Structure formats: structure tokens, C-alpha cells
Amino acid sequence: MLGAQPAKAHAYILAMFPYPSGSLHMGHARVYSLSDVLARFHRQSGRKVVHPIGWDAFGLPAENAAIERGLAPAAWTQSNIAHMRTQLAALGAAFDWHRELSTSDPAYFRWTQHLFLRLWRAGLVERREALVNWDPVDGTVLANEQVSPDGRAERSGARVELRRLAQWFFKITHYAEDLVGDLDALDWPDSVKQQQLNWIGLQHGVALDLAVAPHCEPAAAPARVEVFVPDAATSTERHGLCIAVGPEHPILASLQRRIAASVRINTDAWLDGGVARRASSHRLRDWLVSRQRSWGTPIPIVHCDSCGPVPVPEDQLPVTHTWTASSTHKAAPGDSDAAACACPKCNGAARRETDTMDTFVDSSWYWLRYLDPHNTSAMASPSCSAQLPTDVYIGGIEHAIMHLLYARFIAKFLAADGVVALERGEPFARLLAQGMVLGTAYRCPDTGKYLAPTDVDTSGEPRVVATGKRAIVSVEKMSKSKHNGVDPMPVFERHGVDATRLYLLYRAAPQDELVWDSAAIVGMERFLARVRTLVDGVCAAGSGGSIASSPPAESGTASSATLAKAMADAREQVTAAMTRFGFPVAVASLIKLSHALADCPPHHAQTRRAVDLLLRLLHPFAPVVTLELAGRLAGAPVTTEQLAWPSAADAAFEVAVQICVVQINGKKAAVMEDVPAVIAHDHAAIQAHVLASPVVAQLLADPATGAQLAPRRVVVAKTGKLVNIVV
Ligand SMILES: [Zn+2]
């Protein structure tokens, strides 16, 4: 998709922003290496690039962690952000730091509150009593999406209780049809689309109203019940719906009794008879956004006994009452005097809403704010629409449902409400769902417990140090409790950030799981050392000045054809990887080019040209070392933008070749197609080229011993197109 738009002047490369937990993990290193590769490629291609970073800073984990440490959530979060900022800098990623935002910053959530009020004005916010999922450990309500199928809270693991409480909802169901229909236009992995489809669960069918009278109270007035029957329905049992009707009911005439005791429902007859109507239904429920916690965006509503719920006027935003920078107590904001206020409508005594919003509201619109992060009069200027949708959105597959669904809903609303011009209201045209980084975990065979690294001897077959027994080895998602996490910072220090990035990009395709193996990074260190040696050689050969002023290519060496092919292949494969994300193949082609260069004389202009090409193509993957080496080659410091992306012409040079028939004792044995044309009249050079060929070496091997037969005589024809070897 990106490749099909070469004329595009800008690119928006967005990676999901981190939660400021306090330390960068390997998943972060992987996702931001991926986004940085793409951002640098587009900068090298002359595009204006948006590559922002920020912090998904509200939420329960920060609140709980701060309470445990006796700190205020704001102070805890800010110190985590400061630390992680230095870690991200160490990753070598070129972020637009001037766009940095934090969802817990009043300058940001003032506009999250504005979004709430926009939704309110559009009739898409509702407060109603609902049977909700109550997490007794975290003391808050959870969305259905945050409860696992076995009825436990995803975060705390507590068994969720059902309670009837007044809660705030966003009417996402209003957009259910669009959220399904517009998936088709998105360049997203099919698995993610399918998960969204399953979650929304849209079905078409027929609806009819049934009058239901309880049979134990024949005098009672019948209740009317709307019944939905999906088109795919073949039996009542399958949908868990059992409708009992009296024998005299006319509806029975349209039911055909079959011999799954199943009943096939003839909805056509109902439609024809005017009993039912076409309708759709979905599994998706309205988005419950109320949270009874303090570390979140306060809901900007005032409750007045006379006026009911009243929105806080725009000029009084942000509402910050439910938390303060010094607050350390576990949130019970409803008890606080801070909730007392005057009604904005009648000026009578009122109280503020003390619920905060689900953090998924904060992250539902940050992709827009990045484009205009310092705007104090609007969520973003209308001119930002020109930079949307994002070209690539990169993030973990674990966000396939909730975050992506909520962000799509809010984008559709903002487009409908005139805040942003966005085709179909879709913010993320293309999605790269990154696979997890897995680590090797060891368990004790006796207790089944995970073992700390010091408790396992991995010098040979992994064994428990204490007992000498063979440890149980498994590859699992990195986690502290399994002792299989790898902290990226010591890895950067030991192997270098460039080698680590290359490893992350080469080890597995970005969509696949990556099994971490520290020992394998040295291969990337060796590759970078080889590149450094190549640059050292070219610089020592001293043909200073820029590539453009170099003398024409010498194509007379036997390795010219190999080098030419390696150059063209590398450019083609690395460029293709930027649109198809085939980074392992791209890095492999760069390694191959470095090997092809190893045989080239450093004083040749062609060698220098190929080394220059290698540095440009390698730059997105290994930015630190390539900027240094390209600067040495150019004789002055260079920037990413100056390392212009090579064109096909830059990566090609003419290597005229001719065919040569090889005879052994006068019999045709092989045809060589790579004899450089410039040596056609240099019989000694042709003879050397032919004898150095692996094909000829094989032909001259003694079949019994494998020893090389020594040619007694070699005759080269006048044309240079026939060589007869006499053995
Ligand atoms: Zn009032």
C-alpha cells in the first residue's frame, strides 16, 4: 500500500504508546525498533514523517503500585516516565519528542473530557442502572471485555461479582453495523478482523414481538417480548432460546415440526404474514466507561437534585477534583468534600460525578492529538486530517479487540461530528500486529516451580543446581514470575543497540513470536564488525569525496557480477520489506552483500559505491553505527535525511558477461554464463576465471578420492568462448 504511493509527501508511522510501568521490556524494544525502521526509511525517501511517542499514563496498575509504595500516582507515574524516556533514547529510535503527550496530563485529558461532552451532546452517552462486573479486589467496575471467560478479572484475577449500579455508558452499539462493514476496507491481518467480527457478533434475521403471559397467572396482562431469530437459525436449542406458546396460538401454523426434536423456523412465512420484520442484532454491548478509581480522567458531569446530570461547561475544564498530585489514599472519591459544587445550570447545591473514565477512552483518540499536541483551543486543528489515516499502526496482537474497536468507534464519531475528515472514519489503514517475545523458562521437576537463573545450571543440559536433576524447559511469554524475562538495557550495553535491533528484526518476522536467544546476537555483532572493516578498507584506500564524483565503475574483476547481483538484490529486498515487513529476508540480503564485498578491492570505485549502498540500506536497522560510518565515508557528519534511499539505478551497474563452453578432454562438460566481457581477449584471465569456478573444480575432482586432477594443458579459443581442459 505504501509502495503504491511513491508520490506521497508524508508518512504517519504510529506505534502503540507504552504504559509507564517504570522499565522498558523486550516487547517495547521490538515494537519501537519496527516503527523506527519504517520511520527512517520514509525519511530517507524524502517524506515528512510523523513518528510520535507518548504515555498511556492513567490506570489501575499505577494507582495500585503507588499506593503500595506510599506515593501519589502522579509522582510515581512521572518518575517512571522520566526513567523510560532515557531507556527509549538508548534504543536509538528517532521519535518526534516535540509531540510527546501523556494521557494523565491535564492539557491532554481536558480534551478527553471535551470528547465525553461531544458524545453527550450527540446523545451517545447514557447513565443507567446496570448489572455490572464488580472487581472486589480493585474495587471497581470492569467492562465485559476485561473479564475472562471463566468469570475472573483479567487484571486482578479476582472472581467478578454481578452488582446492580448506576453507570456511564458510551453507545458504541450505535456504530455496530459500520464497525463490521468498514473492516473490509482495512489492510489488517485477517485474524484481527475475525476477532473484531466475533466480538461484535452482528447477525441479520427477523424480529417479532411476542405477547407472553405467565401460565401460573392467567389473569395477568401479557408482556410483550421482542424475539430475534437470526437467518442462520435452524433450531431453537442452538440459540438457547425456548419459547413456549399455547396450542391455540396462530404462530404454530408457520412452524414445521421435524422428526434436533429440532424445529426449523420458517421466518419467510412470518415476514409474508406481517408477523415479523427484518432486523439485525449484535453481541456487542454498550461500552461501560465508569470506573470507581481516582487515577483516571474525571467524568465532567455535575449531579443536581433539580436539574439532574448537568455537563460541566467547557470553560471550566479540565475537571481535576478526583485526584491530586499529593493524594496517596486508595480512591474513594465519592466520600470527598471535593465533590460538593454549585450546579452550572441553577447555581443550587450539587455534587460532582466522582467516577473516572476507563483508560481505553484516553487511548481512543491519542492518534489525533499527536498531530497537534499543544493545541489549547481544540482536540486538533482541522488541517491535521491531511495526515490521516496513519500509514502503519504497530502494536501487540493482545489489543486486537478492545483498544482497536474503541479507537475505531471514537474515530467514526469524530468524523461524523466534524472534528476530523477521515474516510469511513477509519484511523488505521494498515495494521502490523507484532508477535510476542518469548523467553526460555526452567522448572523444577519435583515441585513444578519456576527456577531463578541462579538455580539452574545451563552450561550443558539444563539441571537444577540444588538436586542435579534435569530441569523442565519451556518457552513462554516473558514474565517476572517465570524468571524468563530479559531486560533490554544490559543487552544494549553488552552487544550494542544496533546489534540488538538487528537481532530483533532478523530473528523472526514481525508478526511471529520471537524466541529470545542471547547467544545468537553475536552473529549480528560480527556482521556489523564486517561492515566496519569494509568502511575502514575503503577509507584507507583513500578515494575521498562523494560517490557522485567517483570514477566510473571497474567491471573487469571476476567478482563484479556477484557484487552487482548482491547490490541489486539487497536494494530490492530491503525496499520491499518496508511495505511487506519481510525484515528477516532484508537483513539476510544485507549480510550477503557484505560477504560479496569482502572479495572486492577497496580502491575500486565500485567497491566504494557498494559500501555506500550497504550503509544506506542498513541505516534503518542499525542507525547508530551507520551514521558514524557514513560520516567517515563522506568526510563530514550526515543525517538520516541525507542518506537518501537508493534508487534501482543506484544499485545497478553494467556488467557485460559472455558465455563460455568448458570442455574436458574435448568433451563438452559445462557452460559458464558469468565470464566478464572485458576479459574476452585476455586468455590468461579467462583461464584463471574458469579454473576458479566451483563448477569446474567439481568436474576436476577424482570421483573415487575427491582429490583435484591437475590440468595438463588448458586451451582457450580465440573468441574466448571455448576452453578445453586436458587432464
Ligand atoms: Zn441545577
Side-chain angles (χ1 to χ4, degrees):
M1 185 177 285
L2 291 173
Q5 301 171 348
K8 209 173 155 216
H10 52 75
Y12 186 175
I13 308 299
L14 179 63
M16 290 181 187
F17 61 174
Y19 173 76
S21 60
S23 57
L24 209 65
H25 57 66
M26 262 317 160
H28 291 132
R30 192 181 192 193
V31 74
Y32 300 123
S33 294
L34 287 167
S35 72
D36 196 51
V37 164
L38 296 172
R40 286 180 190 272
F41 160 72
H42 286 288
R43 287 196 173 111
Q44 288 178 269
S45 303
R47 296 186 188 102
K48 205 172 166 197
V49 173
V50 176
H51 183 219
I53 188 74
W55 310 96
D56 191 10
F58 270 139
L60 271 176
E63 190 173 330
N64 288 341
I67 289 164
E68 278 166 26
R69 291 163 176 79
L71 297 169
W76 166 251
T77 300
Q78 277 154 17
S79 74
N80 283 353
I81 288 176
H83 183 57
M84 287 178 76
R85 213 183 266 137
T86 60
Q87 293 189 315
L88 277 178
L91 181 63
F95 289 119
D96 302 340
W97 284 104
H98 65 281
R99 298 182 189 276
E100 183 184 8
L101 57 79
S102 166
T103 57
S104 64
D105 181 348
Y108 181 89
F109 73 70
R110 179 245 182 280
W111 296 105
T112 308
Q113 291 175 337
H114 170 83
L115 169 65
F116 182 100
L117 296 180
R118 272 187 178 272
L119 287 158
W120 167 277
R121 287 194 291 271
L124 292 172
V125 177
E126 197 171 74
R127 188 169 188 258
R128 59 173 186 253
E129 283 236 324
L131 206 54
V132 295
N133 306 303
W134 178 261
D135 179 339
V137 170
D138 278 334
T140 188
V141 161
L142 301 176
N144 286 338
E145 291 88 333
Q146 291 164 323
V147 180
S148 62
D150 67 348
R152 290 184 180 276
E154 255 184 11
R155 212 202 73 80
S156 73
R159 190 160 287 286
V160 168
E161 300 167 7
L162 288 178
R163 288 193 184 179
R164 191 167 285 280
L165 292 173
Q167 299 288 301
W168 291 97
F169 291 86
F170 286 173
K171 293 186 185 172
I172 188 173
T173 53
H174 189 79
Y175 283 89
E177 299 252 359
D178 289 346
L179 287 167
V180 168
D182 293 337
L183 276 175
D184 273 347
L186 300 178
D187 185 4
W188 286 19
D190 288 340
S191 62
V192 176
K193 288 188 187 183
Q194 194 56 51
Q195 286 187 65
Q196 295 233 332
L197 285 175
N198 293 347
W199 189 260
I200 298 166
L202 183 69
Q203 288 181 310
H204 295 283
V206 301
L208 70 162
D209 295 320
L210 290 184
V212 181
H215 63 266
C216 53
E217 294 175 53
R224 298 196 74 75
V225 176
E226 187 185 72
V227 176
F228 175 78
V229 182
D231 288 338
T234 55
S235 78
T236 55
E237 209 177 69
R238 178 175 158 184
H239 295 275
L241 175 68
C242 181
I243 308 166
V245 291
E248 75 292 349
H249 201 289
I251 205 172
L252 285 183
S254 62
L255 298 177
Q256 294 172 354
R257 190 160 292 279
R258 284 161 63 90
I259 296 168
S262 77
V263 176
R264 182 170 290 280
I265 299 165
N266 186 346
T267 53
D268 287 344
W270 295 357
L271 289 168
D272 291 346
V275 177
R277 57 194 175 276
R278 290 299 302 173
S280 61
S281 173
H282 40 73
R283 195 181 148 247
L284 182 70
R285 293 289 168 257
D286 280 332
W287 178 9
L288 197 168
V289 296
S290 284
R291 295 292 180 274
Q292 290 69 45
R293 301 292 299 211
S294 67
W295 189 236
T297 300
I299 289 177
I301 292 286
V302 163
H303 297 281
C304 170
D305 287 340
S306 313
C307 312
V310 180
V312 174
E314 287 276 344
D315 62 6
Q316 290 175 28
L317 300 182
V319 176
T320 61
H321 70 99
T322 54
W323 60 275
T324 66
S326 61
S327 161
T328 57
H329 66 283
K330 185 146 177 165
D335 304 332
S336 167
D337 289 343
C341 66
C343 168
K345 217 168 174 179
C346 71
N347 211 29
R351 67 199 182 283
R352 292 191 183 278
E353 171 60 60
T354 53
D355 281 1
T356 54
M357 285 183 238
D358 180 3
T359 53
F360 279 114
V361 181
D362 306 324
S363 56
S364 70
W365 72 282
Y366 79 120
W367 47 272
L368 176 62
R369 186 66 178 176
Y370 269 144
L371 297 172
D372 198 3
H374 309 297
N375 195 324
T376 55
S377 59
M379 294 175 83
S381 145
S383 63
C384 294
S385 300
Q387 301 190 64
L388 289 166
T390 61
D391 292 77
V392 186
Y393 191 28
I394 310 163
I397 190 75
E398 64 273 21
H399 297 294
I401 301 178
M402 280 185 284
H403 164 61
L404 290 173
L405 193 65
Y406 295 146
R408 292 179 64 218
F409 158 52
I410 293 300
K412 285 179 185 303
F413 165 70
L414 292 174
D417 212 31
V419 176
V420 63
L422 201 54
E423 195 182 344
R424 291 192 176 91
E426 291 290 346
F428 316 124
R430 195 161 192 217
L431 181 72
L432 173 54
Q434 162 222 1
M436 280 195 289
V437 182
L438 307 178
T440 305
Y442 302 96
R443 276 182 295 147
C444 171
D446 298 327
T447 63
K449 281 187 180 166
Y450 287 96
L451 299 165
T454 49
D455 296 334
V456 197
D457 176 5
T458 54
S459 57
E461 193 175 37
R463 288 184 181 277
V464 183
V465 170
T467 62
K469 287 186 181 172
R470 205 181 295 169
I472 301 168
V473 183
S474 56
V475 172
E476 300 183 42
K477 182 183 177 181
M478 286 186 176
S479 115
K480 272 183 192 161
S481 62
K482 294 172 190 164
H483 306 289
N484 68 339
V486 177
D487 183 350
M489 302 312 286
V491 178
F492 294 165
E493 280 162 29
R494 183 162 174 203
H495 301 283
V497 66
D498 287 316
T500 310
R501 283 169 59 123
L502 271 168
Y503 171 80
L504 285 167
L505 294 158
Y506 176 69
R507 180 83 175 168
Q511 303 88 338
D512 295 341
E513 289 177 339
L514 185 152
V515 181
W516 183 264
D517 176 9
S518 292
I521 303 182
V522 292
M524 291 300 143
E525 284 184 273
R526 278 198 292 268
F527 166 44
L528 291 176
R530 198 157 52 239
V531 174
R532 187 176 286 281
T533 304
L534 289 170
V535 174
D536 286 344
V538 169
C539 288
S543 52
S546 73
I547 295 311
S549 64
S550 297
E554 301 88 343
S555 52
T557 61
S559 54
S560 292
T562 311
L563 180 61
K565 188 168 182 337
M567 285 170 74
D569 284 354
R571 197 209 80 92
E572 194 181 315
Q573 283 167 357
V574 178
T575 307
M578 297 302 169
T579 53
R580 294 183 211 142
F581 311 136
F583 298 121
V585 175
V587 174
S589 75
L590 292 171
I591 294 172
K592 202 169 169 188
L593 176 56
S594 75
H595 283 300
L597 270 164
D599 297 333
C600 297
H603 61 278
H604 276 191
Q606 191 53 47
T607 305
R608 185 183 167 82
R609 204 174 135 189
V611 168
D612 176 83
L613 180 88
L614 174 61
L615 292 180
R616 286 169 201 260
L617 296 175
L618 181 59
H619 176 67
F621 305 94
V624 181
V625 71
T626 47
L627 281 182
E628 181 212 323
L629 297 178
R632 279 180 55 201
L633 210 57
V638 294
T639 63
T640 295
E641 287 77 5
Q642 287 169 327
L643 291 178
W645 197 253
S647 67
D650 289 331
F653 68 100
E654 289 292 321
V655 185
V657 290
Q658 67 177 32
I659 285 175
C660 180
V661 174
V662 179
Q663 294 180 336
I664 308 268
N665 295 335
K667 275 189 172 174
K668 183 176 167 182
V671 178
M672 294 181 63
E673 296 177 335
D674 65 343
V675 179
V678 292
I679 61 169
H681 301 291
D682 181 345
H683 289 188
I686 289 184
Q687 181 175 328
H689 183 76
V690 167
L691 292 179
S693 153
V695 176
V696 173
Q698 208 176 346
L699 290 170
L700 293 180
D702 184 307
T705 64
Q708 287 283 304
L709 299 169
R712 279 169 42 205
R713 196 152 53 91
V714 179
V715 182
V716 182
K718 198 177 175 185
T719 57
K721 292 181 179 173
L722 180 78
V723 174
N724 183 26
I725 303 169
V726 180
V727 293

